[in-house]
Amino acid sequence: MTSSPSAVDVDAVLALLDAATATDGVRPVSEDAELRLRHGSPGGHDLVVHDDGALAGYARYDDGAAELVVHPDHRRRGLGRALLRQLLDLAGDRPLNLWAHGDLPGSAALLRPHGFTRARVLLQMRLPDLAAADLDQRPALPDGVQVLPFSPGRDEEAWVRVNSRAFAWHPEQGRMTRQDLERRETEPWFDPDGFLMAWRGEPGDDGVLLGSHWTKVHPSGDVADEPVGEIYVLGIDPDAQGMALGRALTDLGLVHLRERGLRQVLLYVEEDNTAAVRLYESRGFRRFAVDVAWHRAPAREVVAPSSGG
């Protein structure tokens, strides 16, 4: 059974996500998908399946990208394949990318028979001992550059512009809008003091934003038994590359998290972004987990598999 976004029982879907997280050790959908679900954002498609009257599976499709999860108590009953068929119908003859968070074995078993191949790998890296990290608490900044906390109501447009330029190559991050930013500003974890903005000159009409380091703190029980910090978004305007701002903002953000008493920090980075991976490894981060984007080419380009799934 499928359902339109307006008919989805949000609380029931969130309970399903919690159950899958408890069993699998990883959240089955992205933060953005969950925010859109909870805030009722327009666009995209939310799909559900029921088993004996209970909500048993959920999927979200949005512009060629999808995520899918089946409740642990209802697995191996064909519900994942039922949701996948709905996603394939929505994609039609267009490409489809489906994220498998945690790269669990069941994802490959479900997707390979339908012509999906591994396309992208997103690393989760962790710094296990923030207190011992060798950080520069007062890194040198270029002349005329200052780092200030984010100011809600003033800095949104500047951040969205620089973020889109810094991540023009990134299919998700580079598409963030002011609405996406403001949606996150309403979240309990949002802390403008941990959202560091590197300005040349004074913020406002005359200042130029060169880059930023947006940090986040996960509460106890979210990704670990204790609170864990995150390098949430670290981006530098292409025109400001070569100024060592990335390294300076990295250290300033980590110092902020350390001053909050956090012991661990995580981040997500594309596996093939070797420069960023090297920067984070130089600060003590190590690979912890992976998410995989599986890609299915348009139907006319797919060779029919030898067996169904």
Side-chain angles (χ1 to χ4, degrees), residues 156-238:
E156 282 84 357
E157 287 299 327
W159 183 84
V160 170
R161 183 186 66 82
V162 171
N163 182 72
S164 66
R165 285 171 52 79
F167 292 97
W169 54 274
H170 198 283
E172 293 94 23
Q173 185 64 35
R175 296 171 55 193
M176 280 192 68
T177 65
R178 178 166 182 156
Q179 183 181 30
D180 293 326
L181 170 57
E182 291 175 339
R183 189 179 295 123
R184 285 159 175 77
E185 288 181 50
T186 68
E187 290 296 296
W189 57 262
F190 180 76
D191 175 18
D193 289 338
F195 194 163
L196 306 178
M197 312 279 280
W199 294 93
R200 173 178 282 132
E202 294 298 324
D205 294 337
D206 297 330
V208 176
L209 183 65
L210 303 180
S212 65
H213 182 179
W214 186 355
T215 68
K216 175 180 179 178
V217 177
H218 295 265
S220 300
D222 189 3
V223 297
D225 292 338
E226 63 186 78
V228 175
E230 179 177 351
I231 295 180
Y232 187 59
V233 185
L234 176 64
I236 307 299
D237 190 286

Side-chain angles (χ1 to χ4, degrees), residues 8-308:
V8 166
D9 184 336
V10 174
D11 289 339
V13 173
L14 292 174
L16 185 159
L17 300 182
D18 289 341
T21 302
T23 296
D24 300 331
V26 62
R27 201 70 173 168
V29 301
S30 65
E31 178 192 63
D32 187 65
E34 192 166 334
L35 284 172
R36 291 177 182 274
L37 170 71
R38 290 198 282 111
H39 289 271
S41 300
H45 299 267
D46 293 291
L47 308 172
V48 295
V49 291
H50 291 82
D51 187 22
D52 292 332
L55 180 67
Y58 168 74
R60 178 169 178 86
Y61 175 87
D62 191 353
D63 193 23
E67 295 167 282
L68 179 159
V69 58
V70 174
H71 194 288
D73 294 341
H74 299 270
R75 292 175 178 174
R76 286 175 285 279
R77 301 182 189 180
L79 301 177
R81 290 193 297 274
L83 283 169
L84 181 58
R85 283 194 294 271
Q86 292 293 325
L87 293 172
L88 292 171
D89 287 344
L90 285 171
D93 62 357
R94 293 165 294 177
L96 178 62
N97 294 295
L98 198 150
W99 278 101
H101 299 282
D103 196 20
L104 302 174
S107 301
L110 173 65
L111 299 173
R112 285 192 190 278
H114 292 272
F116 285 85
T117 57
R118 292 166 68 98
R120 289 170 58 197
V121 176
L122 185 67
L123 299 178
Q124 184 190 140
M125 303 181 72
R126 292 205 182 185
L127 177 63
D129 189 359
L130 180 56
D134 183 16
L135 305 175
D136 189 344
Q137 299 192 57
R138 295 179 178 83
L141 297 172
D143 290 343
V145 174
Q146 59 180 334
V147 175
L148 301 172
F150 180 85
S151 179
R154 183 194 68 190
D155 293 342
E156 282 84 357
E157 287 299 327
W159 183 84
V160 170
R161 183 186 66 82
V162 171
N163 182 72
S164 66
R165 285 171 52 79
F167 292 97
W169 54 274
H170 198 283
E172 293 94 23
Q173 185 64 35
R175 296 171 55 193
M176 280 192 68
T177 65
R178 178 166 182 156
Q179 183 181 30
D180 293 326
L181 170 57
E182 291 175 339
R183 189 179 295 123
R184 285 159 175 77
E185 288 181 50
T186 68
E187 290 296 296
W189 57 262
F190 180 76
D191 175 18
D193 289 338
F195 194 163
L196 306 178
M197 312 279 280
W199 294 93
R200 173 178 282 132
E202 294 298 324
D205 294 337
D206 297 330
V208 176
L209 183 65
L210 303 180
S212 65
H213 182 179
W214 186 355
T215 68
K216 175 180 179 178
V217 177
H218 295 265
S220 300
D222 189 3
V223 297
D225 292 338
E226 63 186 78
V228 175
E230 179 177 351
I231 295 180
Y232 187 59
V233 185
L234 176 64
I236 307 299
D237 190 286
D239 290 343
Q241 295 291 343
M243 301 170 65
L245 275 177
R247 186 175 297 274
L249 285 170
T250 297
D251 281 6
L252 288 172
L254 291 175
V255 167
H256 169 79
L257 293 172
R258 184 161 65 186
E259 289 175 346
R260 290 198 55 178
L262 298 168
R263 298 193 302 170
Q264 297 185 58
V265 182
L266 65 84
L267 60 86
Y268 293 90
V269 62
E270 300 283 339
E271 184 181 48
D272 61 2
N273 189 348
T274 55
V277 172
R278 284 198 300 269
L279 170 62
Y280 297 134
E281 287 178 339
S282 75
R283 288 299 180 259
F285 284 87
R286 297 295 178 262
R287 300 182 184 211
F288 182 83
V290 299
D291 295 337
V292 175
W294 290 80
H295 175 77
R296 186 179 189 270
R300 62 182 179 274
E301 299 178 13
V302 174
V303 177
S306 59
S307 62

